[in-house]
């Protein structure tokens, strides 16, 4: 929500900055929207010392736990005012009278509209204010030096919030009960695809040695069991009929394999190649 009323020119501009570490309220005294240029802000935010002369930290309240940070950030995303934010603003902003003497800069449009509607606080957001927020984001830790706040503390707060938000997304997902089933089904499809690919490679390779076998046996599982048993077609003999029956489960099919092996036109296998046929 952007207020263009001239009565707010030359008055204090407060800036609400939300971070993983907590809420911070900054103030720019005697803000004049008409005379403040974007290039002036961009030049000032290039260094902390220059920007600190323009904007000062008014108040800071840390989030005491990742869960608290998640609840507050989620409320902002949904355009709601959390109890923590409501208390923070009402405690640290001047009391609004009949004549407004300040304005509040907020980055999120939905939140700005909600604050203006519920708390009766005039809100602003424009390019100049967004540029000020960019400066705050760049120098945020330096502003909090009096709070004994370090860069590592901000990193830990951001990491904790990201983990909490990930857990929250999963918990809020109405389809979460089906995720394991969907993932298991997808995994089975991948396994089945890989097995079919491996079987095709074995068929293609063993067909150089025993081309008739793939024409007789169409089932991949049965074919692999026969290859693993035979390894070399020269090993096939009538004495192996019972072992072939165990692999094929069909006496007629076993007899066809034996007969084809005796008349096969495939090439010979070397000892090294034979060792590759042993799949167990």
């Amino acid at each position: 929500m952007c207020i263009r009323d001239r009565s707010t020119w030359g008055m204090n501009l407060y800036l609400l900055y939300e971070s993983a570490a907590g809420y911070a309220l900054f103030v720019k005294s005697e803000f004049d929207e008409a005379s403040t240029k974007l290039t002036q802000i961009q030049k000032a935010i290039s260094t902390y010392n220059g920007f600190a002369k323009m904007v000062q930290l008014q108040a800071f309240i840390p989030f005491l736990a990742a869960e608290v940070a998640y609840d507050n950030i989620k409320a902002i995303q949904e355009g709601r005012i959390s109890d923590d934010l409501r208390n923070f603003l009402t405690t640290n902003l001047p009391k609004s009278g009949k004549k407004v003497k300040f304005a509040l800069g907020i980055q999120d449009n939905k939140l700005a509209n909600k604050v203006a509607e519920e708390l009766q606080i005039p809100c602003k957001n424009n390019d100049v204010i967004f540029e000020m927020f960019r400066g705050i984001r760049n120098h945020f830790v330096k502003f909090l030096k009096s709070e004994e706040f370090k860069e590592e503390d901000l990193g830990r707060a951001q990491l904790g919030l990201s983990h909490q938000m990930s857990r929250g997304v999963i918990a809020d997902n109405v389809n979460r009960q089906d995720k394991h089933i969907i993932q298991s089904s997808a995994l089975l499809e991948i396994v089945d695809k890989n097995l079919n690919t491996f079987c095709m490679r074995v068929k293609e390779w063993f067909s150089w040695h025993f081309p008739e076998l793939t024409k007789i046996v169409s089932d991949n599982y049965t074919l692999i069991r026969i290859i693993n048993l035979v390894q070399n077609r020269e090993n096939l003999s009538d004495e192996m009929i019972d072992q072939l029956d165990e692999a094929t489960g069909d006496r007629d099919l076993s007899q066809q394999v034996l007969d084809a092996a005796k008349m096969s036109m495939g090439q010979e296998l070397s000892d090294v190649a034979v060792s590759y046929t042993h799949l167990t």
Side-chain angles (χ1 to χ4, degrees):
M1 179 178 181
C2 184
I3 296 182
R4 299 292 184 182
D5 189 351
R6 292 177 180 268
S7 63
T8 63
W9 290 4
M11 296 182 182
N12 288 350
L13 172 68
Y14 292 87
L15 300 165
L16 174 65
Y17 182 70
E18 319 94 11
S19 73
Y23 290 122
L25 190 67
F26 294 82
V27 60
K28 185 187 184 314
S29 301
E30 299 299 320
F31 175 69
D32 190 339
E33 185 176 357
S35 62
T36 303
K37 303 299 182 183
L38 189 63
T39 53
Q40 294 175 337
I41 306 296
Q42 291 172 341
K43 183 178 180 180
I45 67 175
S46 60
T47 63
Y48 168 71
N49 291 333
F51 188 58
K53 294 178 181 178
M54 175 180 293
V55 173
Q56 292 80 42
L57 177 65
Q58 178 81 5
F60 174 70
I61 179 173
F63 296 134
L64 299 180
E67 293 81 3
V68 178
Y70 170 69
D71 291 339
N72 280 271
I73 298 302
K74 183 180 179 183
I76 291 173
Q77 290 178 334
E78 297 173 354
R80 295 185 291 106
I81 304 175
S82 65
D83 292 338
D84 292 332
L85 178 57
R86 186 185 302 271
N87 294 334
F88 180 69
L89 291 178
T90 54
T91 301
N92 295 287
L93 286 175
K95 303 300 180 182
S96 298
K98 293 183 178 180
K99 185 177 181 180
V100 178
K101 297 181 179 180
F102 71 94
L104 178 64
I106 297 180
Q107 299 179 80
D108 187 81
N109 283 328
K110 290 194 299 183
L111 181 62
N113 289 328
K114 201 69 174 177
V115 169
E117 177 185 345
E118 293 190 9
L119 303 183
Q120 301 301 307
I121 297 174
C123 299
K124 282 179 171 288
N125 50 26
N126 52 40
D127 291 342
V128 170
I129 292 176
F130 287 151
E131 201 66 23
M132 290 184 186
F133 278 119
R134 190 166 72 89
I136 293 172
R137 185 164 50 251
N138 290 341
H139 305 297
F140 183 57
V141 175
K142 294 179 181 177
F143 275 110
L144 295 179
K145 59 184 178 181
S146 61
E147 305 282 342
E148 297 183 356
F149 194 83
K150 300 179 181 178
E151 194 76 40
E152 295 79 7
D153 298 325
L154 180 60
R156 284 193 292 269
Q158 291 171 338
L159 181 62
L161 176 60
S162 64
H163 288 172
Q164 190 64 33
M165 292 191 72
S166 298
R167 288 191 290 268
V169 169
I170 295 174
D172 294 340
N173 191 343
V174 296
N175 298 318
R176 63 184 182 276
Q177 300 293 344
D178 299 331
K179 282 190 177 296
H180 299 302
I181 298 174
I182 295 172
Q183 292 173 351
S184 299
S185 176
L187 181 60
L188 288 175
E189 290 181 4
I190 293 173
V191 171
D192 184 60
K193 181 179 179 180
N194 289 340
L195 285 175
N196 286 333
T197 301
F198 295 149
C199 288
M200 288 176 59
R201 297 292 179 268
V202 172
K203 277 184 180 182
E204 181 181 353
W205 173 74
F206 201 71
S207 292
W208 289 96
H209 173 63
F210 194 176
E212 297 82 4
L213 180 62
T214 56
K215 298 178 181 179
I216 298 172
V217 182
S218 58
D219 181 67
N220 287 336
Y221 178 70
T222 303
L223 179 66
I224 296 301
R225 293 189 66 183
I226 294 174
I227 293 174
N228 196 36
L229 170 66
V230 173
Q231 299 184 31
N232 191 323
R233 73 167 187 269
E234 295 179 359
N235 296 333
L236 280 171
S237 62
D238 293 336
E239 289 76 14
M240 293 186 64
I241 188 67
D242 292 334
Q243 293 175 281
L244 277 175
D245 285 347
E246 292 181 8
T248 63
D250 187 336
R251 174 54 67 94
D252 292 339
L253 186 61
S254 299
Q255 190 60 53
Q256 292 180 46
V257 171
L258 280 174
D259 295 341
K262 296 175 183 178
M263 304 178 62
S264 177
M265 301 296 290
Q267 65 184 21
E268 301 296 326
L269 283 182
S270 64
D271 292 339
V272 174
V274 170
S275 66
Y276 293 158
T277 65
H278 193 62
L279 304 177
T280 58

